[in-house]
Amino acid sequence: MNHRIAVTDGLAKEAILYLRKEEYVVDEVSFTKDEINKGSLLDYDAVIIRSATKLDKKAIEANSGGKLKVICRAGVGVDNIDINAATNNGIMVVNAPSSTTKSVAELTLGHLLSCTRHIPKGDRMLRDGIWAKKELRGSELFGKNLGLIGYGRIARNVSNLAIAFGMNIHAFDPYLPNEMFGGITKHETIEDLFSNCTHISVHCNLTEDTRNLVGEKLIDLMPKLGADGSNCGRYLVSLSRGGIVNESELFNCLNNGKLTCAGLDVFETEPVLKNNLLNSDNFIGTPHIAASTVEAQIRVGLESANQIINSLNGEVPTNLINKEILD
Ligand code: MLT
């Protein structure tokens, strides 16, 4: 009998066609949390999710003991899956970590430029009939220190793009060996990183250690002047996961002038319906779209499909997250 795959949060049509061509039965479904908690995935061999479907302990336990063998996160972050619960219930967890790197890195630069050059504000004012040529004086990225929290795949791509803009790259990542920091300045503490950088970008995962990691105390440490001596202001962007930047402290820092501008693509609660930050003129928000490009979504879909195929064929998938399941 053909394996059945549930796709709960959408997937590129190229990936769905590919799986069907390989004779998998693919159902594009939409289950409520309640339905999942009642075992709506029990009859599926695999489920492909993005960030909307939350597979916590309760959801995983309700769907184990049936056919479910693999959960695939079509993307990087697996913080919406209880990995321990999956392991304890014999369910593999895989993801597609490399497909979205370029898209996320490019939007990171987009947020930095939007902040430093007032692009969204300029557009808003223009539409309101205000020609704010004098008011909207920005600053260059050139010659400034960019601090990266986390120096994984996406941060390294951001680093390459930012170097092309003439930025000096600084990073803090306590999990990486020294040889990974070639050509940039490595900091031993996050405090040291903030003390040296007028521009900060967040690139770590959301864990219990990183929840609310970035707040007013760190922002207070940022230098008053740019590395080139200019009065460029201070900027913070995050396109990694909501919850790493403390949003109420960010709001304070935007309103008391400690930060010139900040950009977030990810929020403590998503989707964002109401959020104080949206009342700050020097805040730029996008609705978690860093990976939403035609190119990345096709790559994510195909990478996810291949992870599922390998898992269901009894092979060890290359992106297996809960490797301890093999023990
Ligand atoms: C990811 O973890 O891959 C991204 O946040 C993409 C997404 O969920 O849209």
Side-chain angles (χ1 to χ4, degrees):
M1 204 167 99
N2 291 348
H3 286 123
R4 291 185 72 203
I5 302 170
V7 172
T8 60
D9 302 329
L11 197 69
K13 66 177 184 319
E14 288 80 358
I16 296 198
L17 291 176
Y18 170 57
L19 282 165
R20 289 188 177 142
K21 212 165 139 231
E22 296 291 316
E23 306 207 336
Y24 290 87
V25 177
V26 183
D27 291 344
E28 292 180 82
V29 287
S30 169
F31 293 128
T32 62
K33 188 155 182 44
D34 230 37
E35 287 168 331
I36 291 186
N37 285 346
K38 286 187 181 140
S40 54
L41 300 171
L42 280 164
D43 270 345
Y44 288 97
D45 298 274
V47 57
I48 303 180
I49 66 172
R50 291 185 61 191
S51 51
T53 301
K54 314 277 180 229
L55 294 178
D56 56 15
K57 189 165 185 259
K58 190 169 175 196
I60 287 175
E61 285 175 353
N63 289 285
S64 67
K67 290 167 70 180
L68 192 63
K69 294 172 207 59
V70 52
I71 297 167
C72 177
R73 167 69 167 92
V76 185
V78 289
D79 46 290
N80 52 333
I81 304 168
D82 188 321
I83 307 290
N84 283 336
T87 309
N88 293 338
N89 287 283
I91 298 170
M92 286 185 275
V93 179
V94 295
N95 67 348
S98 53
S99 304
T100 55
T101 306
K102 297 284 177 213
S103 296
V104 181
E106 287 182 10
L107 191 66
T108 303
L109 265 292
H111 265 271
L112 281 170
L113 287 167
S114 296
C115 281
T116 53
R117 303 305 305 271
H118 315 293
I119 300 170
K121 190 172 178 184
D123 175 73
R124 278 197 304 274
M125 293 177 89
L126 200 55
R127 286 166 200 264
D128 286 343
I130 305 167
W131 188 253
K133 187 171 164 65
K134 289 205 176 107
E135 189 184 322
L136 297 184
R137 175 165 299 164
S139 60
E140 294 175 349
L141 296 180
F142 181 80
K144 310 304 185 303
N145 288 357
L146 172 63
L148 304 172
I149 304 175
Y151 200 55
R153 194 184 281 117
I154 293 173
R156 291 197 292 276
N157 267 264
V158 168
S159 166
N160 288 339
L161 297 177
I163 286 170
F165 275 86
M167 299 192 88
N168 316 308
I169 311 301
H170 295 242
F172 165 71
D173 191 328
Y175 301 103
L176 287 186
N178 283 342
E179 55 270 25
M180 295 298 289
F181 295 83
I184 67 155
T185 305
K186 177 192 172 187
H187 292 274
E188 296 302 332
T189 65
I190 194 165
E191 287 78 11
D192 206 29
L193 182 81
F194 272 78
S195 305
N196 281 280
C197 299
T198 42
H199 298 60
I200 295 279
S201 183
V202 181
H203 295 282
C204 55
N205 295 329
L206 176 67
T207 64
E208 278 326 301
D209 288 341
T210 61
R211 190 176 293 282
N212 289 318
L213 176 69
V214 178
E216 201 154 357
K217 261 193 180 161
L218 287 175
I219 291 168
D220 271 339
L221 300 173
M222 293 169 81
K224 298 276 171 279
L225 295 178
D228 58 357
S230 67
N231 191 7
C232 61
R234 289 165 298 281
Y235 304 91
L236 171 74
V237 299
S238 176
L239 293 79
S240 57
R241 265 304 169 271
I244 299 170
V245 175
N246 181 309
E247 288 178 12
S248 63
E249 294 189 25
L250 177 65
F251 178 79
N252 291 340
C253 292
L254 286 168
N255 288 299
N256 61 22
K258 289 182 179 175
L259 279 177
T260 311
C261 188
L264 294 185
D265 184 52
V266 288
F267 296 85
E268 281 168 10
T269 304
E270 295 180 11
V272 172
L273 300 172
K274 260 176 99 177
N275 188 316
N276 246 354
L277 287 168
L278 302 178
N279 300 320
S280 294
D281 210 27
N282 50 349
F283 172 75
I284 296 165
T286 46
H288 202 148
I289 52 168
S292 296
T293 61
V294 280
E295 298 87 349
Q297 286 311 308
I298 293 173
R299 286 195 296 264
V300 160
L302 295 176
E303 190 176 6
S304 301
N306 281 321
Q307 291 300 305
I308 296 276
I309 292 173
N310 292 344
S311 311
L312 295 180
N313 277 347
E315 295 157 27
V316 177
T318 43
N319 305 336
L320 181 63
I321 302 284
N322 51 347
K323 295 197 172 51
E324 57 280 16
I325 204 167
L326 303 172
D327 294 345

